[in-house]
């Protein structure tokens, strides 16, 4: 479920977002004719700092192992080379 976010025009120290998420583990049956199922591995809620940005743009939440998350505001999609968080970042 994704909802709504409103960000200020200008970033300020202490800007945070309250986020909630679930991590699911896929269970693959031994019989390929059976469907895969998912089991909740963890539920998380955190007040996550919004990293500094110069101008309002798209809001991205990146999830990491052990219930960690980072939030960036960027006009560059996560697949772009200049997105503030790259694959492998913590």
């Amino acid at each position: 479920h994704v909802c709504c976010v409103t960000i200020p025009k200008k970033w300020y120290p202490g800007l945070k977002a309250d986020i909630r998420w679930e991590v699911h583990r896929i269970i693959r049956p031994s019989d390929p004719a059976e469907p895969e199922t998912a089991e909740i591995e963890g539920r998380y809620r955190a007040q996550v700092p919004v990293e500094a940005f110069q101008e309002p743009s798209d809001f991205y939440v990146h999830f990491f192992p052990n219930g960690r998350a980072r939030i960036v505001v960027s006009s560059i999609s996560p697949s772009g080379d200049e997105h503030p968080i790259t694959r492998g970042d913590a």
Side-chain angles (χ1 to χ4, degrees), residues 26-38:
I26 301 297
I27 301 167
R28 292 185 175 83
S30 54
D31 179 353
E34 302 264 334
E36 291 181 345
T37 58

Side-chain angles (χ1 to χ4, degrees), residues 2-71:
V2 176
C3 186
C4 315
V5 64
T6 301
I7 58 173
K9 289 182 181 179
K10 185 172 169 75
W11 178 85
Y12 57 88
L15 179 61
K16 293 181 181 181
D18 179 54
I19 60 171
R20 300 169 203 176
W21 71 101
E22 293 180 345
V23 175
H24 296 253
R25 182 173 64 92
I26 301 297
I27 301 167
R28 292 185 175 83
S30 54
D31 179 353
E34 302 264 334
E36 291 181 345
T37 58
E39 177 179 279
I40 295 174
E41 204 168 77
R43 287 189 171 105
Y44 302 92
R45 180 179 182 175
Q47 288 280 320
V48 178
V50 176
E51 297 180 18
F53 60 87
Q54 298 300 314
E55 58 187 47
S57 193
D58 296 324
F59 187 89
Y60 293 99
V61 180
H62 292 261
F63 298 98
F64 296 93
N66 302 317
R68 295 181 319 124
R70 287 175 62 190
I71 297 174

